[in-house]
mmCIF file of all heavy atoms in Angstrom:
data_model
loop_
_atom_site.group_PDB
_atom_site.id
_atom_site.type_symbol
_atom_site.label_atom_id
_atom_site.label_comp_id
_atom_site.label_asym_id
_atom_site.label_seq_id
_atom_site.Cartn_x
_atom_site.Cartn_y
_atom_site.Cartn_z
ATOM 1 N N ASP A 89 -3.216 -15.814 6.282
ATOM 2 C CA ASP A 89 -4.115 -16.930 5.984
ATOM 3 C C ASP A 89 -3.356 -18.249 6.008
ATOM 4 O O ASP A 89 -2.155 -18.299 5.747
ATOM 5 C CB ASP A 89 -4.743 -16.746 4.600
ATOM 6 C CG ASP A 89 -5.514 -15.434 4.497
ATOM 7 O OD1 ASP A 89 -5.777 -14.814 5.536
ATOM 8 O OD2 ASP A 89 -5.841 -15.036 3.368
ATOM 9 N N ASP A 90 -4.083 -19.329 6.279
ATOM 10 C CA ASP A 90 -3.472 -20.662 6.257
ATOM 11 C C ASP A 90 -3.058 -21.039 4.837
ATOM 12 O O ASP A 90 -2.020 -21.658 4.613
ATOM 13 C CB ASP A 90 -4.447 -21.706 6.806
ATOM 14 C CG ASP A 90 -4.711 -21.522 8.289
ATOM 15 O OD1 ASP A 90 -3.836 -20.954 8.972
ATOM 16 O OD2 ASP A 90 -5.783 -21.930 8.753
ATOM 17 N N THR A 91 -3.889 -20.650 3.859
ATOM 18 C CA THR A 91 -3.602 -20.963 2.463
ATOM 19 C C THR A 91 -3.692 -19.692 1.630
ATOM 20 O O THR A 91 -4.705 -18.993 1.667
ATOM 21 C CB THR A 91 -4.612 -21.988 1.898
ATOM 22 O OG1 THR A 91 -4.566 -23.166 2.706
ATOM 23 C CG2 THR A 91 -4.269 -22.345 0.465
ATOM 24 N N ILE A 92 -2.622 -19.378 0.899
ATOM 25 C CA ILE A 92 -2.623 -18.207 0.032
ATOM 26 C C ILE A 92 -3.109 -18.631 -1.345
ATOM 27 O O ILE A 92 -2.503 -19.479 -1.996
ATOM 28 C CB ILE A 92 -1.208 -17.587 -0.060
ATOM 29 C CG1 ILE A 92 -0.728 -17.180 1.336
ATOM 30 C CG2 ILE A 92 -1.210 -16.384 -0.989
ATOM 31 C CD1 ILE A 92 0.683 -16.658 1.358
ATOM 32 N N GLN A 93 -4.218 -18.052 -1.781
ATOM 33 C CA GLN A 93 -4.826 -18.447 -3.038
ATOM 34 C C GLN A 93 -4.072 -17.869 -4.235
ATOM 35 O O GLN A 93 -3.360 -16.871 -4.124
ATOM 36 C CB GLN A 93 -6.288 -17.976 -3.081
ATOM 37 C CG GLN A 93 -7.143 -18.505 -1.945
ATOM 38 C CD GLN A 93 -7.327 -20.008 -2.001
ATOM 39 O OE1 GLN A 93 -7.300 -20.611 -3.077
ATOM 40 N NE2 GLN A 93 -7.525 -20.624 -0.856
ATOM 41 N N SER A 94 -4.242 -18.500 -5.392
ATOM 42 C CA SER A 94 -3.566 -18.072 -6.605
ATOM 43 C C SER A 94 -4.212 -16.822 -7.201
ATOM 44 O O SER A 94 -5.433 -16.667 -7.184
ATOM 45 C CB SER A 94 -3.602 -19.199 -7.638
ATOM 46 O OG SER A 94 -3.116 -18.755 -8.887
ATOM 47 N N LEU A 95 -3.380 -15.947 -7.764
ATOM 48 C CA LEU A 95 -3.857 -14.759 -8.469
ATOM 49 C C LEU A 95 -4.195 -15.054 -9.929
ATOM 50 O O LEU A 95 -4.736 -14.187 -10.615
ATOM 51 C CB LEU A 95 -2.794 -13.653 -8.422
ATOM 52 C CG LEU A 95 -2.723 -12.810 -7.149
ATOM 53 C CD1 LEU A 95 -1.458 -11.950 -7.176
ATOM 54 C CD2 LEU A 95 -3.953 -11.928 -7.011
ATOM 55 N N ASN A 96 -3.853 -16.235 -10.413
ATOM 56 C CA ASN A 96 -4.117 -16.572 -11.817
ATOM 57 C C ASN A 96 -5.599 -16.358 -12.145
ATOM 58 O O ASN A 96 -6.486 -16.815 -11.422
ATOM 59 C CB ASN A 96 -3.715 -18.009 -12.119
ATOM 60 C CG ASN A 96 -2.207 -18.184 -12.153
ATOM 61 O OD1 ASN A 96 -1.456 -17.210 -12.261
ATOM 62 N ND2 ASN A 96 -1.743 -19.421 -12.060
ATOM 63 N N GLY A 97 -5.832 -15.658 -13.251
ATOM 64 C CA GLY A 97 -7.194 -15.341 -13.639
ATOM 65 C C GLY A 97 -7.638 -13.974 -13.160
ATOM 66 O O GLY A 97 -8.766 -13.559 -13.438
ATOM 67 N N HIS A 98 -6.745 -13.264 -12.463
ATOM 68 C CA HIS A 98 -7.119 -11.973 -11.886
ATOM 69 C C HIS A 98 -6.093 -10.890 -12.226
ATOM 70 O O HIS A 98 -4.939 -11.188 -12.547
ATOM 71 C CB HIS A 98 -7.280 -12.109 -10.375
ATOM 72 C CG HIS A 98 -8.367 -13.053 -9.984
ATOM 73 N ND1 HIS A 98 -9.689 -12.675 -9.890
ATOM 74 C CD2 HIS A 98 -8.330 -14.388 -9.707
ATOM 75 C CE1 HIS A 98 -10.419 -13.726 -9.560
ATOM 76 N NE2 HIS A 98 -9.624 -14.777 -9.439
ATOM 77 N N PHE A 99 -6.537 -9.646 -12.140
ATOM 78 C CA PHE A 99 -5.701 -8.510 -12.512
ATOM 79 C C PHE A 99 -4.630 -8.241 -11.458
ATOM 80 O O PHE A 99 -4.886 -8.303 -10.257
ATOM 81 C CB PHE A 99 -6.570 -7.262 -12.680
ATOM 82 C CG PHE A 99 -5.822 -6.063 -13.190
ATOM 83 C CD1 PHE A 99 -5.469 -5.965 -14.527
ATOM 84 C CD2 PHE A 99 -5.456 -5.044 -12.329
ATOM 85 C CE1 PHE A 99 -4.777 -4.857 -15.007
ATOM 86 C CE2 PHE A 99 -4.771 -3.933 -12.794
ATOM 87 C CZ PHE A 99 -4.421 -3.842 -14.131
ATOM 88 N N VAL A 100 -3.413 -7.939 -11.942
ATOM 89 C CA VAL A 100 -2.305 -7.549 -11.075
ATOM 90 C C VAL A 100 -2.011 -6.075 -11.334
ATOM 91 O O VAL A 100 -1.801 -5.672 -12.482
ATOM 92 C CB VAL A 100 -1.045 -8.395 -11.339
ATOM 93 C CG1 VAL A 100 0.119 -7.916 -10.474
ATOM 94 C CG2 VAL A 100 -1.329 -9.871 -11.061
ATOM 95 N N PHE A 101 -1.995 -5.294 -10.285
ATOM 96 C CA PHE A 101 -1.819 -3.849 -10.425
ATOM 97 C C PHE A 101 -0.349 -3.480 -10.583
ATOM 98 O O PHE A 101 0.309 -3.008 -9.646
ATOM 99 C CB PHE A 101 -2.410 -3.126 -9.207
ATOM 100 C CG PHE A 101 -3.914 -3.115 -9.175
ATOM 101 C CD1 PHE A 101 -4.621 -4.226 -8.712
ATOM 102 C CD2 PHE A 101 -4.624 -2.006 -9.600
ATOM 103 C CE1 PHE A 101 -6.008 -4.213 -8.672
ATOM 104 C CE2 PHE A 101 -6.016 -1.979 -9.560
ATOM 105 C CZ PHE A 101 -6.709 -3.087 -9.099
ATOM 106 N N ASN A 102 0.190 -3.696 -11.793
ATOM 107 C CA ASN A 102 1.533 -3.196 -12.110
ATOM 108 C C ASN A 102 1.683 -3.014 -13.617
ATOM 109 O O ASN A 102 0.882 -3.513 -14.402
ATOM 110 C CB ASN A 102 2.634 -4.089 -11.523
ATOM 111 C CG ASN A 102 2.691 -5.471 -12.122
ATOM 112 O OD1 ASN A 102 2.600 -5.653 -13.335
ATOM 113 N ND2 ASN A 102 2.835 -6.469 -11.262
ATOM 114 N N ASP A 103 2.718 -2.277 -14.008
ATOM 115 C CA ASP A 103 2.903 -1.914 -15.411
ATOM 116 C C ASP A 103 3.276 -3.097 -16.291
ATOM 117 O O ASP A 103 2.961 -3.115 -17.483
ATOM 118 C CB ASP A 103 3.981 -0.824 -15.527
ATOM 119 C CG ASP A 103 5.314 -1.265 -14.976
ATOM 120 O OD1 ASP A 103 5.432 -1.362 -13.738
ATOM 121 O OD2 ASP A 103 6.245 -1.521 -15.755
ATOM 122 N N VAL A 104 3.945 -4.107 -15.730
ATOM 123 C CA VAL A 104 4.333 -5.279 -16.507
ATOM 124 C C VAL A 104 3.087 -6.053 -16.951
ATOM 125 O O VAL A 104 2.984 -6.494 -18.100
ATOM 126 C CB VAL A 104 5.272 -6.192 -15.688
ATOM 127 C CG1 VAL A 104 5.581 -7.468 -16.459
ATOM 128 C CG2 VAL A 104 6.561 -5.453 -15.340
ATOM 129 N N PHE A 105 2.146 -6.224 -16.044
ATOM 130 C CA PHE A 105 0.895 -6.920 -16.367
ATOM 131 C C PHE A 105 0.153 -6.156 -17.470
ATOM 132 O O PHE A 105 -0.320 -6.753 -18.446
ATOM 133 C CB PHE A 105 0.026 -7.026 -15.115
ATOM 134 C CG PHE A 105 -1.189 -7.891 -15.274
ATOM 135 C CD1 PHE A 105 -1.179 -9.214 -14.848
ATOM 136 C CD2 PHE A 105 -2.366 -7.395 -15.832
ATOM 137 C CE1 PHE A 105 -2.307 -10.020 -14.985
ATOM 138 C CE2 PHE A 105 -3.492 -8.183 -15.978
ATOM 139 C CZ PHE A 105 -3.456 -9.505 -15.552
ATOM 140 N N VAL A 106 0.053 -4.835 -17.322
ATOM 141 C CA VAL A 106 -0.649 -4.012 -18.307
ATOM 142 C C VAL A 106 0.034 -4.076 -19.667
ATOM 143 O O VAL A 106 -0.625 -4.190 -20.703
ATOM 144 C CB VAL A 106 -0.750 -2.551 -17.814
ATOM 145 C CG1 VAL A 106 -1.268 -1.643 -18.933
ATOM 146 C CG2 VAL A 106 -1.661 -2.464 -16.604
ATOM 147 N N ALA A 107 1.373 -4.011 -19.679
ATOM 148 C CA ALA A 107 2.121 -4.053 -20.943
ATOM 149 C C ALA A 107 1.834 -5.348 -21.696
ATOM 150 O O ALA A 107 1.649 -5.344 -22.916
ATOM 151 C CB ALA A 107 3.613 -3.922 -20.670
ATOM 152 N N SER A 108 1.785 -6.460 -20.968
ATOM 153 C CA SER A 108 1.494 -7.749 -21.584
ATOM 154 C C SER A 108 0.063 -7.779 -22.121
ATOM 155 O O SER A 108 -0.196 -8.273 -23.224
ATOM 156 C CB SER A 108 1.689 -8.876 -20.569
ATOM 157 O OG SER A 108 1.310 -10.126 -21.112
ATOM 158 N N LEU A 109 -0.862 -7.220 -21.364
ATOM 159 C CA LEU A 109 -2.266 -7.200 -21.772
ATOM 160 C C LEU A 109 -2.461 -6.369 -23.038
ATOM 161 O O LEU A 109 -3.128 -6.793 -23.987
ATOM 162 C CB LEU A 109 -3.114 -6.628 -20.632
ATOM 163 C CG LEU A 109 -4.631 -6.643 -20.804
ATOM 164 C CD1 LEU A 109 -5.145 -8.073 -20.910
ATOM 165 C CD2 LEU A 109 -5.293 -5.925 -19.631
ATOM 166 N N VAL A 110 -1.841 -5.198 -23.081
ATOM 167 C CA VAL A 110 -1.982 -4.290 -24.227
ATOM 168 C C VAL A 110 -1.310 -4.872 -25.469
ATOM 169 O O VAL A 110 -1.760 -4.648 -26.594
ATOM 170 C CB VAL A 110 -1.383 -2.913 -23.878
ATOM 171 C CG1 VAL A 110 -1.318 -2.014 -25.109
ATOM 172 C CG2 VAL A 110 -2.198 -2.249 -22.777
ATOM 173 N N ALA A 111 -0.245 -5.652 -25.254
ATOM 174 C CA ALA A 111 0.479 -6.243 -26.377
ATOM 175 C C ALA A 111 -0.255 -7.433 -26.985
ATOM 176 O O ALA A 111 0.208 -8.027 -27.963
ATOM 177 C CB ALA A 111 1.875 -6.670 -25.932
ATOM 178 N N GLY A 112 -1.396 -7.780 -26.411
ATOM 179 C CA GLY A 112 -2.182 -8.882 -26.957
ATOM 180 C C GLY A 112 -1.973 -10.200 -26.262
ATOM 181 O O GLY A 112 -2.509 -11.229 -26.681
ATOM 182 N N GLY A 113 -1.199 -10.195 -25.189
ATOM 183 C CA GLY A 113 -0.969 -11.426 -24.440
ATOM 184 C C GLY A 113 -2.124 -11.708 -23.500
ATOM 185 O O GLY A 113 -3.120 -10.974 -23.462
ATOM 186 N N ASN A 114 -1.996 -12.775 -22.739
ATOM 187 C CA ASN A 114 -3.009 -13.118 -21.746
ATOM 188 C C ASN A 114 -2.337 -13.256 -20.377
ATOM 189 O O ASN A 114 -2.143 -14.370 -19.885
ATOM 190 C CB ASN A 114 -3.728 -14.408 -22.122
ATOM 191 C CG ASN A 114 -4.911 -14.686 -21.193
ATOM 192 O OD1 ASN A 114 -5.243 -13.882 -20.319
ATOM 193 N ND2 ASN A 114 -5.541 -15.843 -21.357
ATOM 194 N N PRO A 115 -1.966 -12.128 -19.769
ATOM 195 C CA PRO A 115 -1.261 -12.179 -18.486
ATOM 196 C C PRO A 115 -2.106 -12.765 -17.363
ATOM 197 O O PRO A 115 -1.558 -13.177 -16.332
ATOM 198 C CB PRO A 115 -0.919 -10.713 -18.220
ATOM 199 C CG PRO A 115 -1.964 -9.948 -18.971
ATOM 200 C CD PRO A 115 -2.212 -10.747 -20.210
ATOM 201 N N TYR A 116 -3.427 -12.814 -17.558
ATOM 202 C CA TYR A 116 -4.285 -13.395 -16.527
ATOM 203 C C TYR A 116 -3.918 -14.858 -16.266
ATOM 204 O O TYR A 116 -4.082 -15.348 -15.149
ATOM 205 C CB TYR A 116 -5.754 -13.299 -16.947
ATOM 206 C CG TYR A 116 -6.315 -11.897 -16.891
ATOM 207 C CD1 TYR A 116 -6.370 -11.106 -18.031
ATOM 208 C CD2 TYR A 116 -6.789 -11.361 -15.699
ATOM 209 C CE1 TYR A 116 -6.890 -9.814 -17.987
ATOM 210 C CE2 TYR A 116 -7.297 -10.080 -15.635
ATOM 211 C CZ TYR A 116 -7.341 -9.305 -16.784
ATOM 212 O OH TYR A 116 -7.839 -8.032 -16.733
ATOM 213 N N GLU A 117 -3.430 -15.541 -17.316
ATOM 214 C CA GLU A 117 -3.094 -16.960 -17.164
ATOM 215 C C GLU A 117 -1.888 -17.182 -16.254
ATOM 216 O O GLU A 117 -1.774 -18.229 -15.610
ATOM 217 C CB GLU A 117 -2.809 -17.582 -18.539
ATOM 218 C CG GLU A 117 -4.041 -17.731 -19.417
ATOM 219 C CD GLU A 117 -3.721 -18.458 -20.711
ATOM 220 O OE1 GLU A 117 -2.510 -18.582 -21.027
ATOM 221 O OE2 GLU A 117 -4.664 -18.897 -21.400
ATOM 222 N N ASN A 118 -0.946 -16.222 -16.247
ATOM 223 C CA ASN A 118 0.243 -16.383 -15.415
ATOM 224 C C ASN A 118 0.432 -15.188 -14.488
ATOM 225 O O ASN A 118 1.524 -14.674 -14.305
ATOM 226 C CB ASN A 118 1.492 -16.592 -16.284
ATOM 227 C CG ASN A 118 1.727 -15.441 -17.238
ATOM 228 O OD1 ASN A 118 0.794 -14.767 -17.632
ATOM 229 N ND2 ASN A 118 2.979 -15.229 -17.615
ATOM 230 N N ALA A 119 -0.683 -14.743 -13.892
ATOM 231 C CA ALA A 119 -0.656 -13.593 -12.988
ATOM 232 C C ALA A 119 0.264 -13.831 -11.801
ATOM 233 O O ALA A 119 0.979 -12.924 -11.366
ATOM 234 C CB ALA A 119 -2.075 -13.276 -12.503
ATOM 235 N N ASP A 120 0.269 -15.042 -11.276
ATOM 236 C CA ASP A 120 1.147 -15.358 -10.136
ATOM 237 C C ASP A 120 2.609 -15.147 -10.499
ATOM 238 O O ASP A 120 3.383 -14.567 -9.731
ATOM 239 C CB ASP A 120 0.947 -16.813 -9.679
ATOM 240 C CG ASP A 120 -0.215 -16.959 -8.706
ATOM 241 O OD1 ASP A 120 -0.526 -15.976 -8.006
ATOM 242 O OD2 ASP A 120 -0.797 -18.044 -8.649
ATOM 243 N N SER A 121 2.985 -15.614 -11.665
ATOM 244 C CA SER A 121 4.368 -15.494 -12.117
ATOM 245 C C SER A 121 4.767 -14.033 -12.292
ATOM 246 O O SER A 121 5.861 -13.613 -11.885
ATOM 247 C CB SER A 121 4.555 -16.252 -13.438
ATOM 248 O OG SER A 121 5.866 -16.089 -13.927
ATOM 249 N N ILE A 122 3.879 -13.253 -12.896
ATOM 250 C CA ILE A 122 4.151 -11.824 -13.091
ATOM 251 C C ILE A 122 4.264 -11.122 -11.749
ATOM 252 O O ILE A 122 5.159 -10.295 -11.522
ATOM 253 C CB ILE A 122 3.051 -11.174 -13.945
ATOM 254 C CG1 ILE A 122 3.104 -11.710 -15.368
ATOM 255 C CG2 ILE A 122 3.174 -9.649 -13.937
ATOM 256 C CD1 ILE A 122 1.966 -11.233 -16.246
ATOM 257 N N ASN A 123 3.381 -11.452 -10.844
ATOM 258 C CA ASN A 123 3.398 -10.827 -9.520
ATOM 259 C C ASN A 123 4.694 -11.137 -8.779
ATOM 260 O O ASN A 123 5.294 -10.262 -8.155
ATOM 261 C CB ASN A 123 2.190 -11.307 -8.706
ATOM 262 C CG ASN A 123 1.949 -10.451 -7.476
ATOM 263 O OD1 ASN A 123 2.000 -9.227 -7.525
ATOM 264 N ND2 ASN A 123 1.700 -11.094 -6.356
ATOM 265 N N ARG A 124 5.144 -12.389 -8.865
ATOM 266 C CA ARG A 124 6.394 -12.775 -8.186
ATOM 267 C C ARG A 124 7.598 -12.086 -8.819
ATOM 268 O O ARG A 124 8.499 -11.620 -8.115
ATOM 269 C CB ARG A 124 6.582 -14.298 -8.251
ATOM 270 C CG ARG A 124 5.733 -15.073 -7.265
ATOM 271 C CD ARG A 124 6.221 -16.500 -7.146
ATOM 272 N NE ARG A 124 6.138 -17.203 -8.413
ATOM 273 C CZ ARG A 124 5.069 -17.903 -8.808
ATOM 274 N NH1 ARG A 124 4.013 -17.984 -8.029
ATOM 275 N NH2 ARG A 124 5.070 -18.526 -9.975
ATOM 276 N N SER A 125 7.629 -12.012 -10.140
ATOM 277 C CA SER A 125 8.790 -11.435 -10.822
ATOM 278 C C SER A 125 8.924 -9.943 -10.552
ATOM 279 O O SER A 125 10.034 -9.416 -10.441
ATOM 280 C CB SER A 125 8.710 -11.681 -12.331
ATOM 281 O OG SER A 125 7.606 -10.994 -12.891
ATOM 282 N N THR A 126 7.800 -9.240 -10.448
ATOM 283 C CA THR A 126 7.862 -7.801 -10.214
ATOM 284 C C THR A 126 8.045 -7.469 -8.741
ATOM 285 O O THR A 126 8.434 -6.352 -8.399
ATOM 286 C CB THR A 126 6.585 -7.116 -10.726
ATOM 287 O OG1 THR A 126 5.431 -7.763 -10.163
ATOM 288 C CG2 THR A 126 6.503 -7.189 -12.234
ATOM 289 N N THR A 127 7.800 -8.432 -7.870
ATOM 290 C CA THR A 127 7.984 -8.212 -6.435
ATOM 291 C C THR A 127 9.436 -7.924 -6.103
ATOM 292 O O THR A 127 9.761 -7.121 -5.230
ATOM 293 C CB THR A 127 7.506 -9.440 -5.626
ATOM 294 O OG1 THR A 127 6.091 -9.569 -5.772
ATOM 295 C CG2 THR A 127 7.852 -9.297 -4.157
ATOM 296 N N HIS A 128 10.365 -8.563 -6.822
ATOM 297 C CA HIS A 128 11.790 -8.428 -6.521
ATOM 298 C C HIS A 128 12.498 -7.466 -7.456
ATOM 299 O O HIS A 128 13.719 -7.387 -7.466
ATOM 300 C CB HIS A 128 12.462 -9.799 -6.606
ATOM 301 C CG HIS A 128 11.830 -10.816 -5.706
ATOM 302 N ND1 HIS A 128 11.933 -10.750 -4.337
ATOM 303 C CD2 HIS A 128 11.057 -11.902 -5.971
ATOM 304 C CE1 HIS A 128 11.264 -11.763 -3.794
ATOM 305 N NE2 HIS A 128 10.736 -12.479 -4.765
ATOM 306 N N ARG A 129 11.718 -6.698 -8.232
ATOM 307 C CA ARG A 129 12.326 -5.792 -9.190
ATOM 308 C C ARG A 129 12.668 -4.459 -8.528
ATOM 309 O O ARG A 129 11.908 -3.923 -7.748
ATOM 310 C CB ARG A 129 11.337 -5.537 -10.338
ATOM 311 C CG ARG A 129 11.876 -4.662 -11.450
ATOM 312 C CD ARG A 129 10.784 -4.399 -12.457
ATOM 313 N NE ARG A 129 9.617 -3.804 -11.813
ATOM 314 C CZ ARG A 129 8.523 -3.431 -12.465
ATOM 315 N NH1 ARG A 129 8.429 -3.629 -13.745
ATOM 316 N NH2 ARG A 129 7.506 -2.891 -11.817
ATOM 317 N N GLY A 130 13.847 -3.916 -8.848
ATOM 318 C CA GLY A 130 14.212 -2.592 -8.360
ATOM 319 C C GLY A 130 14.701 -2.600 -6.934
ATOM 320 O O GLY A 130 14.778 -3.633 -6.273
ATOM 321 N N GLN A 131 15.041 -1.430 -6.423
ATOM 322 C CA GLN A 131 15.549 -1.281 -5.073
ATOM 323 C C GLN A 131 14.567 -0.472 -4.252
ATOM 324 O O GLN A 131 13.954 0.469 -4.729
ATOM 325 C CB GLN A 131 16.908 -0.572 -5.082
ATOM 326 C CG GLN A 131 17.993 -1.374 -5.797
ATOM 327 C CD GLN A 131 19.312 -0.645 -5.785
ATOM 328 O OE1 GLN A 131 19.377 0.533 -5.474
ATOM 329 N NE2 GLN A 131 20.366 -1.353 -6.111
#
Side-chain angles (χ1 to χ4, degrees):
D89 302 346
D90 292 335
T91 302
I92 301 176
Q93 302 294 331
S94 172
L95 279 170
N96 288 343
H98 298 275
F99 185 76
V100 177
F101 287 81
N102 66 44
D103 60 287
V104 175
F105 188 98
V106 170
S108 175
L109 186 63
V110 171
N114 187 4
Y116 288 97
E117 290 185 345
N118 59 333
D120 275 333
S121 177
I122 292 174
N123 194 44
R124 282 194 299 270
S125 65
T126 53
T127 294
H128 304 291
R129 183 184 56 178
Q131 296 180 347

